Amino acid sequence: MDIRRLKSFIVIVDSGSITRAADLLHIAQPALSQQLSALEDHFGQKLLIRSQQGVSMTDAGHAVYRHAQIILRQMDQAQADASAAGNSLAGRVSVGLVPFSSAATLSVDLLAETRRRHPGILLHLTESVGQTYSQMIMNGRLEMALIHGTGPIKGVRFDPILREDFYLVAHRDFGLEDDGKPVPLAALDSMPLLLPPAYNFVRRAVDTAFTRTRNSMKVVAEVEIVRTLARAVAAGLGATIMPKAIADRIMTETSEPLICRIVSPRIEETLSLCVSDQNPLSEPALAVRDILVELTEGLKI
């Protein structure tokens, strides 16, 4: 097995096209097609289906893609271990941090602490709203992620770490008192809200709370950028309901007079560390996991 064929296969899948993959790999398209054919001959299975829209994986292709990610990561780790033999931990570790949560506030601290304790580790951080982290872990594209939820999802393991309370953040012009008391959802019936889209865990939690209390929710815009959300709330375009860490960030990013109050009945979500239940973490990944858990536990104080 030529390891280059596995690399090429991953690039084809990720780019969605043999033509685009050939450009990215700087090789001729016929040569790349030959590599793909050789890989399919090796496994005795059709791995990709070609169409005018690009390529899509067969069931066999999904299996090979997942193992290819793992094999290439292990090869990189073997190189790093050999280079750092007898010295400190080294290698690449990929971590996903879910947006609109306390996890999103840990990225700089995680990077700084990893650099301080293990300068040989190359930390890859991603904070994406458009990808499913659990799927990326199963495919081998991520080694761990801090995400909302407790599972179960076949192929990954969830370790709950932190429960996040949700807070309303609104401009004082909306007439809310800054008395520190919980604000009932019933008081938000006609208030314009700025929230993430329906597929977001934060939005789901808010939707569920309004449904259970039989209160109507007036969403005037869906925003997936925290800085934009903070500016919109500060401008009085609407209020938002966010986990405490994001609510605090919105409060600190503006000089406008804002109100931040916990909602009632309480809305909360669980942050869990998600890892593969099939592929053990490398030593560098275990070290990063320990730092991530330590930093997350620190949020409880």
Side-chain angles (χ1 to χ4, degrees):
M1 169 64 67
D2 187 340
I3 201 72
R4 290 176 300 177
R5 293 174 184 168
L6 292 178
K7 291 181 179 179
S8 296
F9 178 67
I10 289 174
V11 174
I12 293 171
V13 172
D14 289 347
S15 64
S17 163
I18 293 179
T19 301
R20 284 195 294 270
D23 289 339
L24 292 171
L25 293 167
H26 304 293
I27 62 176
Q29 184 175 332
L32 184 57
S33 295
Q34 287 181 351
Q35 287 189 28
L36 176 59
S37 295
L39 198 63
E40 291 179 326
D41 288 342
H42 177 86
F43 288 106
Q45 294 276 359
K46 191 75 171 175
L47 302 180
L48 296 178
I49 298 174
R50 305 190 198 191
S51 69
Q52 291 182 344
Q53 288 73 38
V55 297
S56 59
M57 287 185 287
T58 63
D59 289 344
H62 278 286
V64 171
Y65 180 85
R66 178 170 59 85
H67 285 289
Q69 292 279 4
I70 296 168
I71 290 168
L72 293 179
R73 189 167 66 237
Q74 289 176 335
M75 290 293 293
D76 289 342
Q77 188 60 53
Q79 180 65 54
D81 289 347
S83 300
N87 298 315
S88 59
L89 290 174
R92 182 178 183 272
V93 179
S94 54
V95 182
L97 300 172
V98 68
F100 293 101
S101 74
S102 297
T105 68
L106 297 176
S107 54
V108 174
D109 289 339
L110 178 60
L111 179 59
E113 198 61 22
T114 301
R115 290 291 300 149
R116 186 182 71 82
R117 300 187 197 181
H118 309 289
I121 291 179
L122 174 63
L123 190 61
H124 170 77
L125 296 176
T126 183
E127 185 182 321
S128 171
V129 296
Q131 302 184 74
T132 304
Y133 287 162
S134 57
Q135 187 66 47
M136 293 173 72
I137 289 173
M138 285 186 279
N139 284 338
R141 295 179 63 187
L142 282 179
E143 288 165 273
M144 69 190 79
L146 199 56
I147 63 178
H148 282 127
T150 57
I153 298 177
K154 186 177 180 181
V156 294
R157 186 179 77 247
F158 286 80
D159 295 319
I161 300 179
L162 178 72
R163 291 196 71 82
E164 296 190 291
D165 286 323
F166 285 45
Y167 282 69
L168 173 78
V169 184
H171 199 281
R172 289 181 187 268
D173 288 349
F174 282 99
L176 293 171
E177 295 293 332
D178 191 10
D179 55 12
K181 296 179 181 178
V183 57
L185 290 182
L188 308 181
D189 260 354
S190 60
M191 186 173 291
L193 293 178
L194 309 169
L195 294 170
Y199 56 76
N200 184 282
F201 259 97
V202 170
R203 174 64 176 275
R204 291 181 194 172
V206 174
D207 284 349
T208 299
F210 272 84
T211 300
R212 286 177 177 171
T213 56
R214 297 183 180 179
N215 290 300
S216 59
M217 187 169 62
K218 182 182 179 182
V219 179
V220 297
E222 295 181 333
V223 184
E224 292 188 282
I225 306 168
V226 175
R227 179 166 293 182
T228 300
L229 182 64
R231 291 175 178 174
V233 171
L237 298 179
T240 192
I241 300 174
M242 285 285 141
K244 183 62 162 56
I246 302 301
D248 287 344
R249 179 176 166 184
I250 292 172
M251 296 289 290
T252 59
E253 288 195 2
T254 178
S255 59
E256 289 294 316
L258 302 182
I259 303 297
C260 184
R261 288 168 55 185
I262 193 169
V263 296
S264 176
R266 175 174 292 182
I267 305 175
E268 57 184 8
E269 266 293 343
T270 299
L271 268 182
S272 296
L273 182 67
C274 184
V275 298
S276 171
D277 66 1
Q278 299 178 1
N279 305 303
L281 295 175
S282 63
E283 286 192 39
L286 287 170
V288 171
R289 180 203 62 185
D290 291 344
I291 296 173
L292 182 57
V293 170
E294 178 183 317
L295 291 173
T296 308
E297 289 283 354
L299 296 174
K300 297 178 181 179
I301 300 173

